[in-house]
Every structure is written in structure tokens, then in C-alpha cells.
Amino acid sequence: MKVSASDWLLLSPELFLTAAGLLILSISAFFDKAKEEFLAFLTLLFVGVAIGLVAFLSGYGGRGAPIFAGMFIVDNFAIFFKLLMLVSIALTVLASIQFVGRAPYPAGDYYALLLFTGVGMLFMVSGNNLVSIYVALELMALSSYILAGYFKLEIKSTEAALKYFVLGAFSSGVLLYGLSLVYGIAGRMGLPDLAKLFESQAKSNLLLVGILLILAGLLFKIAAVPFHVWTPDVYEGSPTPVTAFFSVGPKLAAYAILARIFYVGFPKFHADWGLIIALVSAATMVFGNVAALLQTNVKRMLAYSSIAHAGYALMGVLGFRTEFGLWGILVYLLAYTFMNFGVFALVVFLETKGYAAESVADFNGLARRNMTAAVVMLVFLLSLAGIPPTAGFIGKYYLFTSAMKAGYAWLAVLAVLMSALSLFYYFRIAAAMFFSEAEGAPLKSSYALTAAVLICAAATVIVGVAPQPFVEMLRACVIKAP
Amino acid sequence: MTVALWIVPALPLAGFLLCLLLGTRLGKGFVSAAGVGSIGIATLAAWSRLLPYFRDGGGAVVERIAPWITAGNFSVDVSFRLDPLSALMVSFVTFVGFLIHLYSVGYMKHDETDAGYARYFAYMNLFMFSMLTLVLANNFVLMFVGWEGVGLCSYLLIGYYYEREYAAAAGRKAFVVNRIGDFGFLLGMFGVFSLFGTLDFGDVFSRAAANPGRFAPGLTVVCLLLFLGAMGKSAQVPLHVWLPDAMAGPTPVSALIHAATMVTAGVYMVTRCNALFRLAPEAMAVVAVIGGVTAIFAAVIALAQNDIKKVLAYSTVSQLGYMFLACGVGAYVAGMFHVLTHAFFKACLFLGSGAVIHALGGEQDMRRMGGLAPKLPVTYRTFLVATLALAGIPPLAGFFSKDAILTGVFAANRPILFAVGLFTAGLTAFYMFRLVSLTFSGRFRGSAEVGAHVHEAPTTMTLPLVVLAFLSAVGGFLGLPEVFGESANRVAAFLAPVFPPIFLPGHEVARHAVSPAKEWILMGVSVTVAAAGLLLAWDWYAKKAGRPAERLAASFPRLYALIADKFRIDELYDVLFVRPFSWLARVLWKVVDVLVIDGFLNAGAFVVELVGDALRFLQTGNVRNYALTFLLGIVALLLIVLAG
């Protein structure tokens, strides 16, 4: 295997973050007194440097070709995901600062684990080989199981971690079984190699089973029906900043590899996996919305709402070989990351103020107690419901268009109907904030959390009002199907 | 240094935000500074661009800010256009707007709370932003944004005294009637897009000019739809009903929005689209007829009104009719020139009436006025100048613009419309002098208590009056008729590039040139008619205290009552539209909404709840069950693909 210096350079963000995570772990191991704020700041700094490195690589000429003997690839698609995931980690750090500090657990572990999850995610989106993708996925998954159980003395948190772990291990088993079937038939693991081989091979049932098992394993990660069952429990039990992170970061990575594996590795079987994804997408959006409608617990409601959004997002993978391709899902994920994180960040805000943020009533009269928070929350809710001029509308617009162009008009119609349904439960919160009586004193937010929320709100509004530059940029990030 | 065009609307927008966000907190002083200052700076900024432009002339300057909407082959930019037409509009919109904002400081200061004062200036600034956007827009969509914006501000400001029932109702009426027009405009815009594939002014008009024969068939409908929009905004019969009611707003609002600027937007839009209208002769004919009918219809109603602002409102409707009459016969320059002079004298008249109302503590009924000339000397003199200008007495501004319109109608060989225009000129002179006589001459007919408090307005109010009266006096010299020399009509020369030569094949009708001799005769006739109306009104109302008019009214009681009741158009609409619609609304509410839709929804909710109960049964929290679901899911996937 020949490895050049340029290969190392292209993976520098991942390598840097690994070192950064180890450094934070050692600091907190050797200096118990290290303040949580200091560690958070350091983490933020490291993430900032990593963002800088990725941004530098986006202008680097050597990108786009497979590196490390075809194990990885750093193309525009990967760079877009890396930037978005790093931003989501930075937002998570900002949202965690007070939340984690008040708990009696070592903060260094928390931030280090966050960084390790990030390393796994970054490797995943660059993966160009089933093995490298699988190993990166496990790195991400194992770190996130521990994050879910980070509040280890709280039963709910431990329960969340355990369920996440057991079911995650189960899904890994399924995924791995699929990988081994594919390897057994093809005798190779590189995605482009697989595509080349299958081109001249007839479809076999065994191979299809392998591909579908891989698909099922990935659908688990993005919480699509019927592999979503873990989501409400894990989202409810995990520390809320972690939930906010789970609802965006690892999902981004999962969407990215789902698209890459199936576009680059299995283009020949697109009729089969396309059908399954369309059906799962329909089932997911219907189930997620209907279940969210029935929830009174806000965190569970938002968990179901994220499931519903996973259903919409899956439509973006269907544009195989159309002019739209993956364009829709990229635009949508850009919007989704900010609006969904924003909503959870506001739940974090209420929790730091002593509310369980479990029932809608905790939002009562928020407009009178913190107008900014209420308005910003409204922006996120509008965006989630897909009302213009917010990012959510733009995202759905591109997503639905891409489904239409791919010939799935029925799915787009269903998605529009489901979006209308979603207004109902989103506006329950909006109505509580603005039309219910307020009790108690004004609520003040910490600077870090305010920054996180305002960044999300600004992104949601800017992408919604002036989408053109972002949309054009994302067009260059699409993976073209061969 | 040249000021970018976007700065001009952006400044009032900034003023709007300042007044809205900080106005109540920082008080009236701040609001006056921000609200008037923003318009003052915008005026200076605009004129720093306009002065060189007026001097050197020049073609259309397009300043593109950013792409706005792109979808498939449809794209719209945020871009502004400075050409002679928009330059003319911006010049007086900013300037008159500034004067009226200045006037408002004096007019609004006493009655209003800090919050009300801030609200007033916020809306006025928002209006200026919308109006300037409308005028400077370089495509139909941006123009529509301004168009809707001015409509919104008009609604908000008519209903400014929202605690008064009739003001709130008037605001609603204006909004609803305008929506009918806006609907037409919107459809017209779709039509333009489907014909030309673009909404950019420059592209649409050049494509129309390049290939008139191809587009002409579709253009009649498109132009009629656009004109429907103009009818709503510019209060043309039968959509005129909202404008007289709009007088429920504060008087400076009537002056700015419902006389000088917004209501002329329709004329502006038709003139802007002249390249399209000229390819649709049938649509032009409709424009001319509607304009002529509106002119005479509103003038007749104005004869019998007793509310000082109502007379001015109907006069505005009538003058707008004149402008459309001009556009309809192809005399666009005359129409735009009348827009300009009308802005001066009608703003002056409204502000003057505001000074009168202000002096009398809110009294608007002319039957309780009279003899105010010595007590309000500045108001009286400026009002008189503006009245003479409106009546068309040379050499004041209104004479030249009205004469240009009448000459245009004559040249277009439309004898009936010419007669209508001429007769309306006589009516105009009559009702305006009736108004002046009832208000300023004779003896005071109000209560003694009110009479004792009559006082001249403060300087912030009289200064705009003087400036506007001066402009009403001399503004006409910008557009002297041709008999004074080839290049005497500077407005026409300046606007010429906006009217490219464009003809429908086979319709190159030569307008018969009006010879100098005929032109002198036309002027003589129109002056005679105006003078006759003026002297008759003077004789009846100032000298004989209105007795001849009462006798005349008494001998035709039913006709008089019909006119005084504005031909009962509102009552007609009530029977034709309002009542059937409220009946329909009630049916929709009680039957369709409550029974059908709610019933459907309730049934849906019931089903959803059942499903939810079933789902809750699955979501047990038990990991083994979860794993089982997972497994069943995989089996289902495999079955679908392998068995299907």
C-alpha cells in the first residue's frame, strides 16, 4: 500500500481531533480541578481548528481521488458533511456548558467522548470501503452509547444507554452480517470495485439479502420505521444536549454513508433498494407524525418529530440518476441540522431553569418571560413545519422536488399532507408560548446557550430568506451516480 | 459621489424600524427626528441622483442588488430602475412626502400619546419605503411588493383611529376593494410572464416592441387585468368606493397617500406598461372610457357633499379619471404631467383643509364653517392658489396639465370624451369655489365657543402649505404647450425615451396634429368653461349665501338626494355583494365548517387516537420487544424485495 503525504494531509482533521480528544482526557485525568468551562472552551477551540482544516481542504487540489489505497475519499460531499457535523459538535459544546457542569461527573470525559464521536463521524463520511466505514461507524456508536449514559446516577440516563447499546449492537450485527454476505459473494470491499464487479454479474438473491441487511443496519442509525423503536426512550433518557446532538450529528453521518454506499457501491440494484427506501420513507413520515401528534411529553414528541423528518429526508436519496440526485437531501440536511438542534437547545434552556420540559405546559407564557426565546422557538417550529421564509421550507421544497423528479409523486403528496399534520403538534408549543398565562419571573439564558440558539436561528432565517448561494454551493457537493 | 438607488427606499425603512422599535420608549422628540429625518435624508439622497439626471438626461439605469427568486426558468432579481418615468415619480414622492411628514409633526403632536405618535410615523415611513420600492422597481414582482406595501400602509393609516368604528370599517373597505384590483394585477402579471417568459421591465417591453404582431392577440386580456389593478389602487369607477371613506384617516395621510402619491400608482403602472397598452387598442379604449366616466361621475358627486374632505376626495377620484382618460387616448405625457401638478395642488388643498379642521377643533362639515379667511390668512391664500390651480385658471399648474389632457383627447378624435372632459372642468371649478366660499367667506356658522379658539397653524404646518402653493403656481411651466415653442414642453422632452415608437401592424393611425390656431381656441374654451363654473359658484355661495343652490336642489329633490347619497353605490354593493357574501359565509361556517370539516376532523382524530393506542402497545419500553420489532422489520423488507 502506497501512502503519500497528501493522504495524511487530507485526513488531518480526523487525526487532529483524535489527538485533541486524548489531550482533553489526559488534562481531566491529571488535573481534577480543571474547570468545566475551561475544558469546554478548549474543546470549542479544537473543533474550531478542525473546521479550519476542513475549510482549508475544501480548496486543496488533491481532494476527490481515493486515498490510503482506496479506503477513504475526501470529496466535496464529504467536506460538506464534515463541516456541518463539526458545526453541530460546536453547537453541542455551547449548549452543554452549564448543563454538564452542574452534574457531579467528570466534564473531561464528556467533551472527550464528544470529540471521539466526532472522529468516528468524520471518518464515516470519508469512508470509501465497507470495512473502513464499518469501523468508523462503531467508533461513533460506542462513544455515543457512553454519552447517552453520561448521567450515570440517573436511572433514565442509564436505561437509555443500555437500550441504545443493546439495540445498537443488534443493528451492528445485522449490518455486519450483510457486509459479510456481500464480501462472500464479491470478495472485495471497496465501493467502486463492488460496483464494477456487479455490473457484469447477474442479480442473486443472496446478494440482495446482504444489501438489504446493510440497509436495515443503516436505517437503524437514522431511526427510520420500523427500526426506530429505540429513539423515544434514548432521546428522553439521555442528557438533553446529548439528545440534541444525537438528533443531528450521528444522523448526518448515517445519511451520508447510506447515500455513498448505495450510490457508489450498489448502483445496479437501485430499483430494489429504491423501492424499500420509498416504502420506509412513507411509513416513517406517517408513523412519526401520527405518534408525535399523540405525545404530551415534549422530548418524546420531538423524538417522534425527528423520526418524521428522517422519513422526509429519505426521499432525498431517491433521486438516483436524475438531475437532482442527492441535491435535495443536502439542502434539507443543512436546514434540518440548525432547526432541529435549535429546538432541542431551547429544551436545554428550560431544563437549566429547573423545568423538566416534559409537558407542553412548561412552555406556557414563555413569550412574556423571555421574548427572544419564544420568538426564536417559533422560528424553529415554523421551519420544522416547513413554512416559508425559513430554511425548513427551502429544504422541503428541494426534497419534494427531487422526489417528484425521481418519479415518486405519491410520496411527495404524502409528505405534503404529513407536513400539514405536523403543524398541529408544533403549534401546540407555539400556542402555549404566546397565548397561555405566564407564571414566575423572566428567564435569563447563559451566554453560551444564547450563542448556540442564535446561531441556529440566524442560519434558519438566512437560508430561508436568501437560499440561492447555499443551494448553488450544495449543487457542487452531490455525488453523481455512475 | 453617486448614491446607490437602493439607499432611497432603505432610509424610510430604517426610519420605520427605529420608530417601531424605539419610538414608544424614547418619546415624541426622537420619533420626529427619526421619522422626518429619514425622509429628509432620503429626499436629499434621491435628489443628489436626480439633479444630474435631470440635467444630463440619460437612458435607463438598472442597479441589480441580488438574485431573489430562482426556480427553473423563472428568475426575479431585486433590482431598481432609474429612468425618466421613475425619476419624475421619485422627485415629487420624496419631496412632497418630506413636506407632509414635516406638516405631520405639527398636526399630530397634540392629540396623540407617545405610542400613537410613534405608530403614525412608523406607518408613514413604511409607506414611503413601499411607494419608493413600487416606483423604482425594475420588474413586476418587486413592483407588486411595493404595490401591496402601500395598500397595507393605506389600510393601517385609514384605520389609525381604530377605536372609532367607522375608521376601522373604512380601513377594511379600502383593503377589500384594493384586493379586487390586486387580484387583477396578479393575474395580469402571470399573463405577462406566460407571454414574454420574463417579468423584467426592460426585457418585457423590448420584446413587445421587437415583435408587436406576435404578442398583440394576448395583450388585450393582460392589459385589462393590469388595468383592473390600476382601477383598484387609483379608485376608478366602479372600484372608487373606498377612497372617500379613506378620509377617516388623519388628514396628512389623506394628503400624502390618498391624493398625492399612492392613488397615482395606477396611472404610473399603466404608463410604465405603455408599450403593452399601445398594442392593445381595445384595452386603451376601456381605459379612456373608464377614466372619462370616473371624471364626470365623481365631479357630480362632489357638487353635493358637505364634508370638506369628502369634496376633496371626490375631486381626487375625478382628477385620477382625467389621468386615465389621458392614458387611454395615448397622451401618457399629459397624464403623468397631471400626476405631478395634481400632487402639488391636491396635497396643498388637503393640508390646507387639515389646517382648517385643526383650527376648528376637528370640525369637517362646511355648513359649520365660513368667514375663516381673515383668521387663517396663510391657509386661505395658499388654499386659494391651489384651488385656482385645480380649477384650471392660467397660468397656474393645473391649467397646463389639464389643457394638455384635453388637447390629447381632441387630437385622438374622441369628441364625446372631449365634451365630458370639458364639462368636468367646469364642474371642477364650480365645486372647488363652492368649497372655498363656504369655508372662507361669509360669516362663521359654527358655535361661538369653537369660533373663539380659531387660530392659524404652527410654522411646521404653514411652511409646507406655502411651498406647495408656490409649486402649484409655477409647476405648469415645466410643460408648456407646443404653441410656446418646440421645446417648451420640458416634461414631454424628458419623458420621451419612456415611449419608444411601437405600433400594432396596420394601426399606425396618424394622430391629426393640432394646429396652433386650434390649440389657442382649445385653451380659450377650457379657460372660459372653468371661469364660468368659478364665477357661478362665487355668485351663488359667496354673494348669495347658497340660496340659488338650495332653490335648485328643492326643485329636483330626488335627483339632489341621489347625488348627495353618492348615487347610492355603497347601498347597491351592499345588496349585490356584501349581503349575499355574508349569507354565503354563514352557510359555510354553520354547515360546511362546523358539520362537514369539523366532523371530518373529529372522525380523523378519533381514528388517529385508536392507532395511537395500538402503537403505544408496541412501544412498551421493553428491549426484547424492540429487538423483535427490528427483526420483523427485516423480515418484511426481505419479503417485499425477494417475493415481490
Side-chain angles (χ1 to χ4, degrees), chain A residues 192-212:
Chain A
D193 304 342
L194 284 171
K196 217 175 287 165
L197 179 75
F198 293 142
E199 214 165 297
S200 55
Q201 245 186 29
K203 185 156 79 171
S204 78
N205 277 351
L206 199 56
L207 182 60
L208 272 184
V209 171
I211 291 174
L212 288 180

Side-chain angles (χ1 to χ4, degrees), chain B residues 362-377:
Chain B
E363 182 59 69
Q364 300 198 6
D365 193 329
M366 293 190 294
R367 286 169 296 193
R368 286 191 286 277
M369 294 181 185
L372 295 176
K375 289 176 184 160
L376 306 172

Side-chain angles (χ1 to χ4, degrees), chain A residues 206-280:
Chain A
L206 199 56
L207 182 60
L208 272 184
V209 171
I211 291 174
L212 288 180
L213 290 180
I214 294 175
L215 182 59
L218 295 178
L219 289 175
F220 171 85
K221 293 288 173 212
I222 57 180
V225 174
F227 312 110
H228 66 283
V229 266
W230 57 278
T231 322
D233 292 1
V234 171
Y235 280 20
E236 191 190 351
S238 302
T240 312
V242 173
T243 306
F245 175 63
F246 283 173
S247 75
V248 293
K251 279 195 171 190
L252 286 173
Y255 287 121
I257 57 166
L258 179 76
R260 197 190 288 282
I261 291 178
F262 287 88
Y263 270 54
V264 180
F266 307 125
K268 189 172 177 204
F269 311 112
H270 71 267
D272 298 303
W273 56 256
L275 173 72
I276 290 297
I277 287 182
L279 292 176
V280 168

Side-chain angles (χ1 to χ4, degrees), chain A residues 163 220 226 229 233 276 287 294, chain B residues 612 615 619 621 623 626 630 641:
Chain A
K163 282 183 176 167
F220 171 85
V229 266
D233 292 1
I276 290 297
F287 175 82
L294 296 164
Chain B
L615 292 179
Q619 192 78 35
V623 182
Y626 289 1
F630 197 127
V641 169

Side-chain angles (χ1 to χ4, degrees), chain A residues 159 163 166-167 170-171 174 205 208-209 212-213 216 219-220 226-230 232-233 272 275-276 279-280 287 290-291 293-294 300 304 397 468, chain B residues 67-72 605 608-609 611-613 615-616 618-623 625-634 636-638 640-642:
Chain A
E159 183 194 334
K163 282 183 176 167
V166 171
L167 293 169
F170 187 57
S171 81
V174 171
N205 277 351
L208 272 184
V209 171
L212 288 180
L213 290 180
L219 289 175
F220 171 85
F227 312 110
H228 66 283
V229 266
W230 57 278
D233 292 1
D272 298 303
L275 173 72
I276 290 297
L279 292 176
V280 168
F287 175 82
V290 171
L293 204 57
L294 296 164
R300 289 183 83 88
Y304 283 115
Y397 173 77
Q468 217 55 40
Chain B
W68 180 20
I69 308 169
T70 312
V608 165
E609 210 154 324
V611 172
D613 286 343
L615 292 179
R616 242 195 300 262
L618 284 178
Q619 192 78 35
T620 51
N622 189 324
V623 182
N625 289 5
Y626 289 1
L628 187 64
T629 320
F630 197 127
L631 201 62
L632 290 176
I634 294 172
L637 292 197
L638 292 177
I640 288 170
V641 169
L642 298 180

Side-chain angles (χ1 to χ4, degrees), chain B residues 27-33 102-114 117 120-121 160-161 252 358 458 460-461:
Chain B
K28 286 184 180 172
F30 170 79
V31 171
S32 309
L102 193 64
Y103 177 96
S104 302
V105 173
Y107 190 85
M108 300 301 289
K109 210 158 208 165
H110 303 304
D111 340 329
E112 297 310 320
T113 59
D114 279 4
Y117 193 72
Y120 174 84
F121 275 96
Y160 177 73
Y161 301 115
H358 191 72
T460 52
M461 288 170 69

